[in-house]
Amino acid sequence: MRRALSSSVALVVVLLLALPAAQTRTSKTLDIYVVDVEGGNATLLVAPSGESVLIDTGNGGAAGPRDPERIMAAVRDAGLTQIDHLITTHWHGDHFGGTEELAKRIPIRDYIDHGPTVEPQPASTAFLQTVYPTLFGAAKHTVAKPGDKIPVAGLDWRIVTSGGEAIKAPLAGAGAPNKYCAAYTPKQPDPTENAQSVGSIVTFGKFRVAHLGDLTWNKEFDLMCPANRIGAADVFLVSRHGQPSSNSEVLVHALRPRVTITNNGPRKGGQPDAMRILLSSPGLADLWQIHFSFLGGQEYTVPGMFIANSEQAAIPVAPMTPPQPGAQTQPASPHDGTAYWIKVSAQMDGSFTVTNSRNGFMKDYPAVNR
């Protein structure tokens, strides 16, 4: 009997050691790291179970391992040993560029995307033909469709846009008429990868966060009009780095976010037209930014305590005039050293805390009834 008991104990020990690191996490919060990738996107979400989803991997190419290393800093802070799901919203280099380097540093179990590119470019073509199949060939590959659910314990993760299409039926509790549709003015059709973005609505108890990648203006209308099919969000992770080709009133004002977070660069995102819509959203408490924006200047920005990374150059009061399409723009100030993230820690009751890792500034947002 004693020998059998010892064998059973040994078996339990082996099984416990075999469990993924996700099983040992003690946090009761959904943690969201908005990582500075210099005007690209990398957003890491970690559920209380320890299961993780990374949305995009920032830049590669000339940036080398810079952005994957910044993502790994957040991974280490969260205590992860693997990425359970990687969603690549679309095939632009500032969103998929760090994938190969990141996969050398940590196992990625599930690669999710919208399917083939609609905008072939040398970098994306080479990656999709030679690198990407090797990466997901050793894991799992999922082509996301609107309405899909990403399996993450404790979260309701819904794909609401992908491949240029949007969900047809509203999410639970959504579907009310969107009053902002009446004043909507369309822009020129967007034939680029931005319009193909994989968009997510993530619900954790009463807390909701929206991340729509680089989904552009007309596609926002398709998702939100005539009825708002996704409802409200406590946190809106701003589309396309805070550029005015996205972030229409039909989306932002109908979402009624309590907090918006913009993963912008010093000269990418934060233009006045976008900031006016973001800052005037009904019910908004605060807007947080990864960088000061020269395109917005001091006129269209927020207090420094809400900005994760400061710039070496003085920020002018007036917005900088953006260059014409195709024209050379003034290079951004070098920023290859320490980079700071913005972190959201959400409770199931809908309350959450946002922290600026540069200065330690934290702000609590209480639960509200919606």
Side-chain angles (χ1 to χ4, degrees):
M1 174 66 75
R2 187 172 299 169
R3 181 176 300 168
L5 181 61
S6 298
S7 298
S8 299
V9 171
L11 178 60
V12 169
V13 170
V14 169
L15 290 174
L16 287 173
L17 290 174
L19 288 173
Q23 300 295 318
T24 62
R25 191 167 189 257
T26 59
S27 173
K28 295 182 179 180
T29 57
L30 166 62
D31 293 333
I32 305 170
Y33 296 80
V34 182
V35 181
D36 175 23
V37 288
E38 303 299 329
N41 182 66
T43 308
L44 177 65
L45 295 93
V46 186
S49 66
E51 292 185 60
S52 57
V53 182
L54 175 65
I55 305 177
D56 293 334
T57 59
N59 298 276
R66 181 198 65 196
D67 293 354
E69 283 298 324
R70 292 178 179 183
I71 295 168
M72 286 302 300
V75 164
R76 289 187 287 269
D77 190 77
L80 301 179
T81 58
Q82 67 181 37
I83 300 296
D84 294 293
H85 307 278
L86 168 61
I87 297 175
T88 301
T89 58
H90 62 292
W91 302 117
H92 279 167
D94 55 334
H95 291 256
F96 77 85
T99 302
E100 183 177 14
E101 284 290 334
L102 183 67
K104 296 175 182 177
R105 291 161 170 76
I106 189 168
I108 301 171
R109 302 305 185 193
D110 181 20
Y111 291 80
I112 301 169
D113 57 66
H114 70 70
T117 182
V118 300
E119 188 186 3
Q121 298 175 351
S124 60
T125 298
F127 176 79
L128 290 170
Q129 290 182 350
T130 63
V131 177
Y132 197 49
T134 302
L135 296 178
F136 69 66
K140 178 184 176 184
H141 179 218
T142 304
V143 176
K145 304 296 182 185
D148 285 356
K149 183 176 181 179
I150 306 300
V152 182
L155 304 183
D156 182 10
W157 192 299
R158 303 285 175 157
I159 301 299
V160 295
T161 62
S162 184
E165 301 295 328
I167 55 171
K168 304 302 182 186
L171 301 180
N178 185 347
K179 66 181 182 180
Y180 300 102
C181 299
Y184 169 82
T185 301
K187 295 184 181 291
Q188 289 296 317
D190 178 12
T192 75
E193 273 290 306
N194 294 322
Q196 306 294 309
S197 289
V198 178
S200 300
I201 298 294
V202 183
T203 303
F204 172 56
K206 295 181 179 180
F207 174 83
R208 301 181 87 232
V209 57
H211 189 305
L212 302 179
D214 278 7
L215 196 72
T216 38
W217 190 273
N218 293 353
K219 293 298 182 180
E220 294 173 348
F221 177 86
D222 293 344
L223 175 64
M224 301 297 290
C225 294
N228 174 357
R229 279 168 272 174
I230 60 178
D234 296 286
V235 173
F236 173 43
L237 300 170
V238 173
S239 299
R240 209 175 176 220
H241 325 290
Q243 298 189 64
S245 53
S246 302
N247 306 298
S248 60
E249 289 95 336
V250 298
L251 174 70
V252 179
H253 290 193
L255 279 176
R256 294 184 290 113
R258 301 165 60 196
V259 162
T260 58
I261 302 175
T262 304
N263 200 341
N264 64 310
R267 293 178 177 84
K268 186 176 182 180
Q271 290 98 314
D273 285 350
M275 293 296 283
R276 278 191 287 265
I277 292 174
L278 292 168
L279 289 168
S280 64
S281 182
L284 182 72
D286 294 302
L287 185 150
W288 299 65
Q289 293 176 242
I290 287 294
H291 281 272
F292 282 104
S293 172
F294 287 90
L295 300 182
Q298 295 182 43
E299 194 84 6
Y300 294 95
T301 191
V302 294
M305 67 180 67
F306 294 95
I307 300 177
N309 295 280
S310 58
E311 310 307 328
Q312 296 177 1
I315 304 295
V317 173
M320 186 182 85
T321 302
Q324 293 299 313
Q328 292 294 320
T329 183
Q330 182 184 359
S333 56
H335 188 230
D336 290 328
T338 302
Y340 299 97
W341 59 63
I342 291 170
K343 181 181 177 182
V344 179
S345 294
Q347 303 282 347
M348 286 196 71
D349 66 359
S351 63
F352 59 99
T353 300
V354 183
T355 303
N356 181 344
S357 67
R358 175 179 62 83
N359 54 19
F361 174 67
M362 303 171 63
K363 185 168 180 180
D364 295 327
Y365 299 88
V368 297
N369 293 321
R370 285 186 175 272

